[in-house]
Amino acid sequence: MTTRPSSRVTARGAVLCLVSASGFGLAPVFAKQAFATGAGVTTVLTARFALAAAVFWAVVLCRRPRRPHGRTLPAGLARGRTLPAGLALGAVGYAVQSAAYFGAVTRIDASLAALLLYAYPAVVTLLALALRRESPDRYRLAALVCSALGVLFLLGPGGAGPGADTAGVLLALGAAVTYALYLTAAGHLVKSLDLPLLSALVCTGACASLAVFGTATGGLRLPSEPAWTWIGLLALCSTVVPVLCLFAGTRALGAPTAAILSCTEVLVTVAAGAFCYGDRLTAGRVSGAVAVFASVVIVEHGRRRRERPRVEAPRPDRARRATARTEAPAPKGGTPQAVHRK
């Protein structure tokens, strides 16, 4: 029998999820400020993942998470497929997604980029249906419809605006697709591996991939002193702290509730963009945001209903028939004898 978390644990988990969403939501603001100092996207992201990886590895060494068979990590980590899989996820998946998303932030409003990125739950659902990992039902179909309407609202005249950069919009949508592919590929590792360890591997792989790309293309430069301030905030406040808070909040509340609370990330980005850069909050963006949020809530509500155990109470007539089948005719002067079936 499962026990429900106490109200104090629930409140703490909700606060942790909101702190995580706030940190992720401020990432475009920190990135824009770093770009304003003259640092490029590749330079900012390489330094961000380098700092975040160092902190995550320190957390891993302090926590010493254990494997299912009892061995501590990171000792013996490279013997299996965990190390190359985590590094590959960072080098290919997360690096490309981050580059596309922050590249979009340099071209379009941060609020619009964040809202378009949140089309990824619908893409994840489409991939799961295409790979036959899940079967279509009314919740998934309704979520797909809401997400599609949200993207249409965001790309309409009242959402993206007449002067929106096409390349920026495509980069934001590409980031959503890449993030969906990343989450689909990382699904088995998230379930079986300690999250700080997986984050350390992913950040290390992303840092190495971006460093190689930046060196090959000549886009990697040593950040200036003002840029390091914003890169440090991006690495700590918008990478390390949100990941650890989301990890703790998910453990306290469960994945569905944590995912719904994480939607406030976009609200933080929209509010920060309007306050810092004067991003417009048009009717199209509001409609698109509502539709995108609705798709996330519907997906998580459907998942919760599917994971809820079904307990069917026996009907009186069925109970009488079952009792009659399990009892043999009683001999005269005796008591009924039960027929035991294997």
Side-chain angles (χ1 to χ4, degrees):
M1 183 177 65
T2 59
T3 58
R4 294 184 178 181
S6 64
S7 58
R8 182 176 299 178
V9 173
T10 302
R12 187 186 304 118
V15 170
L16 288 171
C17 289
L18 292 177
V19 170
S20 172
S22 299
F24 284 129
L26 290 174
V29 176
F30 296 147
K32 274 182 171 289
Q33 292 299 115
F35 297 150
T37 64
V41 175
T42 304
T43 298
V44 171
L45 292 181
T46 302
R48 170 204 185 187
F49 287 127
L51 294 176
V55 177
F56 278 128
W57 281 119
V59 172
V60 169
L61 292 175
C62 292
R63 294 179 70 247
R64 300 290 290 178
R66 292 184 174 274
R67 289 185 181 185
H69 57 271
R71 292 184 178 180
T72 57
L73 292 169
L77 178 62
R79 297 178 183 177
R81 298 180 179 179
T82 302
L83 178 60
L87 293 175
L89 281 174
V92 179
Y94 204 43
V96 175
Q97 183 269 334
S98 297
Y101 177 62
F102 287 104
V105 168
T106 61
R107 293 175 174 270
I108 59 177
D109 293 345
S111 57
L112 178 59
L115 289 170
L116 290 175
L117 176 65
Y118 255 78
Y120 77 85
V123 182
V124 171
T125 303
L126 284 175
L127 289 174
L129 295 177
L131 297 174
R132 297 184 178 180
R133 295 182 179 179
E134 297 179 356
S135 57
D137 57 21
R138 58 180 180 176
Y139 294 102
R140 295 189 178 98
L141 295 178
L144 290 175
V145 171
C146 286
S147 182
L149 289 176
V151 173
L152 289 177
F153 285 137
L154 292 173
L155 296 182
D165 186 83
T166 303
V169 171
L170 293 177
L171 283 172
L173 292 175
V177 174
T178 307
Y179 193 44
L181 293 171
Y182 164 80
L183 292 178
T184 302
H188 66 287
L189 288 178
V190 172
K191 295 179 181 179
S192 61
L193 193 61
D194 184 72
L195 185 58
L197 174 60
L198 178 60
S199 301
L201 292 172
V202 168
C203 288
T204 302
C207 175
S209 175
L210 290 167
V212 171
F213 176 79
T215 303
T217 58
L220 190 62
R221 297 284 189 274
L222 183 65
S224 61
E225 184 176 351
W228 275 115
T229 301
W230 299 108
I231 293 173
L233 291 172
L234 181 62
L236 296 178
C237 299
S238 295
T239 307
V240 176
V241 172
V243 167
L244 296 179
C245 287
L246 183 60
F247 176 46
T250 302
R251 291 181 61 182
L253 298 177
T257 304
I260 293 174
L261 289 176
S262 296
C263 292
T264 56
E265 168 192 342
V266 182
L267 299 179
V268 174
T269 303
V270 172
F275 179 77
C276 298
Y277 306 110
D279 293 351
R280 295 180 305 162
L281 190 60
T282 61
R285 292 190 186 182
V286 173
S287 302
V290 171
V292 169
F293 290 159
S295 68
V296 177
V297 173
I298 291 172
V299 166
E300 299 303 333
H301 180 67
R303 182 181 304 170
R304 180 179 297 182
R305 287 184 61 89
R306 288 190 298 272
E307 293 176 354
R308 183 183 304 169
R310 295 183 179 181
V311 179
E312 184 178 357
R315 296 180 180 178
D317 54 342
R318 293 183 179 179
R320 285 195 297 269
R321 287 197 297 268
T323 303
R325 286 196 299 268
T326 57
E327 292 183 353
K332 293 181 179 181
T335 57
Q337 297 177 348
V339 179
H340 300 282
R341 298 183 179 179
K342 295 182 179 179

